Amino acid sequence: MSQPLVIANWKMNLPLGGIQDWIQDEMMPNVDIVDFDKKSSYFKFMGIAPPISHLSELKNLFSFGFLGAQDISKYNDGAKTGDISAAMMIEKGCSFSILGHSERREFYGETNSIVREKLKICLAKEIIPVVCIGESIEDYNTGKTLDTLEIQLKEIFSSIITQTVIVIAYEPVWAIGTGNTPSSSEVNNIHQHIKDIVQSIANVEAINVIYGGSVNCENAKSFFQQSNIDGALIGGASLDGKNFLNIYNDFLETL
Ligand code: 13P
């Protein structure tokens, strides 16, 4: 099974005009379909990860789509103030969770071993994990990208056995929110390495590797045209519904 995905990661933001406008006025008018089944089929590769506080609203407006969490607890339940469990996320309609985003690593000290614990929780609950990895600008400039990614992958995925589809988001830290990106062919080669490494250290049925970091309407197609780029994780450009839909349509064209 394969799960290409174009995901909107709103982070701790909401679309400027509000969620209803984002879905109904900005995104939907461009989509010439009304029937629920057709909508479900059209949107089957689109995921939205809003702030948790807005999951229910989004679920009502985007019932035909794919919702996700930006993070989950590494615990299942109990006295863990501030945490939200995987089971709670599922109850809210989430079918995937972003894990180990570089902002979680930078601002909350999340390590590869914590990401691994969260990965195991996702797999036990059959939530699709969207595991973020990526190198710093120093690593990139000194040619250490693949070494850094290999360390991250080994610490997170070694000996993992699963039939749940795995999504890995390659997000170079220096590309997030900066307007700078590696070239699409560079990303393509890196994704091939990521797939090879995970296949060699874990027993997983399907891996999809998506790219994140300054994806926008202008550059999205060049990424999607590459054979090892199975989608995108989009921050800033996803807050505008029209832009996000344009990027999604570019993706559909290259399938
Ligand atoms: P930008 O698309 O704003 O660079 O953010 C990327 C990202 O961090 C998605 O998770």
Side-chain angles (χ1 to χ4, degrees), residues 50-105:
I52 299 157
S53 50
H54 289 68
L55 270 169
S56 301
E57 184 183 354
L58 205 56
K59 181 80 190 149
N60 286 334
L61 294 164
F62 192 67
S63 54
F64 42 86
F66 210 32
L67 290 182
Q70 296 178 10
D71 183 38
I72 55 160
S73 175
K74 65 175 182 172
Y75 301 104
N76 276 318
D77 52 33
K80 306 291 178 303
T81 300
D83 269 19
I84 301 182
S85 71
M88 291 167 179
M89 291 298 191
I90 292 172
E91 211 178 295
K92 281 284 175 195
C94 291
S95 44
F96 70 90
S97 179
I98 299 171
L99 302 179
H101 192 281
S102 66
E103 289 148 14
R104 301 288 321 164
R105 294 171 187 262

Side-chain angles (χ1 to χ4, degrees), residues 6-24 26-27 46-59 61-62 67-70 96 98 101 103 233-242 244-245:
V6 177
I7 301 174
N9 175 11
W10 287 351
K11 309 189 179 185
M12 199 165 65
N13 301 300
L14 292 174
L16 213 55
I19 291 183
Q20 189 149 345
D21 280 8
W22 187 90
I23 298 261
Q24 285 170 349
E26 295 183 51
M27 212 170 61
M46 181 186 286
I48 306 177
I52 299 157
S53 50
H54 289 68
L55 270 169
S56 301
E57 184 183 354
L58 205 56
K59 181 80 190 149
L61 294 164
F62 192 67
L67 290 182
Q70 296 178 10
F96 70 90
I98 299 171
H101 192 281
E103 289 148 14
L233 183 54
I234 304 172
S238 73
L239 291 168
D240 180 312
K242 286 192 189 74
F244 187 57
L245 189 74

Side-chain angles (χ1 to χ4, degrees), residues 3 15 26 28 35 136 153 157 159 161 193 213 234 249:
Q3 184 57 66
E26 295 183 51
M28 295 307 280
D35 176 74
S136 65
L153 290 169
F157 285 102
S159 311
I161 301 173
H193 277 280
I234 304 172
N249 283 333

Side-chain angles (χ1 to χ4, degrees), residues 69-251:
Q70 296 178 10
D71 183 38
I72 55 160
S73 175
K74 65 175 182 172
Y75 301 104
N76 276 318
D77 52 33
K80 306 291 178 303
T81 300
D83 269 19
I84 301 182
S85 71
M88 291 167 179
M89 291 298 191
I90 292 172
E91 211 178 295
K92 281 284 175 195
C94 291
S95 44
F96 70 90
S97 179
I98 299 171
L99 302 179
H101 192 281
S102 66
E103 289 148 14
R104 301 288 321 164
R105 294 171 187 262
E106 180 183 353
F107 300 118
Y108 304 98
E110 217 163 90
T111 59
N112 293 326
S113 83
I114 294 175
V115 178
R116 180 179 173 88
E117 288 180 61
K118 293 183 175 186
L119 170 68
K120 286 183 175 170
I121 294 252
C122 277
L123 299 178
K125 301 283 180 196
E126 294 185 351
I127 295 181
I128 295 176
V130 179
V131 177
C132 299
I133 57 171
E135 81 286 3
S136 65
I137 188 65
E138 293 78 19
D139 287 346
Y140 180 75
N141 284 339
T142 52
K144 294 201 187 111
T145 296
L146 295 181
D147 294 341
T148 299
L149 298 180
E150 186 166 346
I151 292 168
Q152 292 173 337
L153 290 169
K154 284 188 169 158
E155 290 184 6
I156 298 170
F157 285 102
S158 283
S159 311
I160 292 287
I161 301 173
T162 183
Q163 292 181 337
T164 301
V165 67
I166 301 271
V167 179
I168 296 175
Y170 168 52
E171 296 207 307
V173 179
W174 54 273
I176 296 175
T178 60
N180 302 321
T181 70
S183 71
S184 56
S185 60
E186 233 175 320
V187 173
N188 195 49
N189 290 337
I190 290 168
H191 283 202
Q192 181 65 59
H193 277 280
I194 291 171
K195 289 177 184 181
D196 291 345
I197 291 168
V198 176
Q199 295 289 12
S200 72
I201 59 172
N203 188 344
V204 298
E205 286 224 336
I207 312 166
N208 293 271
V209 185
I210 65 177
Y211 170 74
S214 295
V215 175
N216 57 38
C217 291
E218 283 71 47
N219 63 20
K221 208 171 205 163
S222 73
F223 289 115
F224 296 146
Q225 281 163 343
Q226 301 285 343
S227 58
N228 287 314
I229 301 182
D230 305 318
L233 183 54
I234 304 172
S238 73
L239 291 168
D240 180 312
K242 286 192 189 74
N243 284 344
F244 187 57
L245 189 74
N246 283 338
I247 293 171
Y248 184 67
N249 283 333
D250 280 347
F251 176 73

